[in-house]
Amino acid sequence: MRSDKDPEYLSTLERGLSVLRSFTREKPAMTYAAAVREEVIDLFAAGADIVQLDEPYMQARPEAAASFGIEALNAALHGVEGSTCVHIGLATRH
C-alpha cells in the first residue's frame, strides 16, 4: 500500500496535480479516476475488505459534474474486484 511518506507516491500526486492544472475539468477527472483505480486495486491487494470512495464534487457542483461525473466514477471502479461503496457529499463539522 502506498504511503504519503513514499517519494514515488508523492511524485505521482505532484504529476497528477500538474496534469490537473493543464486540462479541462473532464480530462483531469478521468486522469484522477485512473489514479484512484490504481489506489483501490493496491488497497485490495494489501488486504482491505472494503474500500470507500468519498466524492464531494458531484454533490457540491452537480451541474458541472453531470456531464462526466458518473463516467469518472465508473472509470475509477472499472475492473476492481472487491466490495466498494461511494459516499457522495461533504463532511461538515459542528
Side-chain angles (χ1 to χ4, degrees):
M1 183 165 58
R2 295 178 179 165
S3 164
D4 62 356
K5 293 181 171 106
D6 179 350
E8 181 181 330
Y9 177 75
L10 289 176
S11 66
T12 299
L13 287 178
E14 290 165 358
R15 283 193 310 273
L17 288 174
S18 175
V19 169
L20 288 176
R21 291 183 189 105
S22 65
F23 293 137
T24 66
R25 289 182 178 173
E26 184 174 354
K27 286 184 180 180
M30 298 308 289
T31 300
Y32 186 70
V36 168
R37 182 179 175 279
E38 289 180 29
E39 291 296 319
V40 171
I41 290 169
D42 286 350
L43 288 168
F44 283 122
D49 293 323
I50 187 167
V51 174
Q52 175 177 317
L53 301 181
D54 290 326
E55 176 42 73
Y57 188 80
M58 285 191 235
Q59 186 272 335
R61 295 186 175 61
E63 299 84 16
S67 64
F68 59 86
I70 297 299
E71 181 183 354
L73 183 58
N74 285 337
L77 296 174
H78 180 74
V80 170
E81 294 184 21
S83 296
T84 59
C85 64
V86 178
H87 172 251
I88 297 180
L90 298 170
T92 56
R93 292 184 170 207
H94 298 283

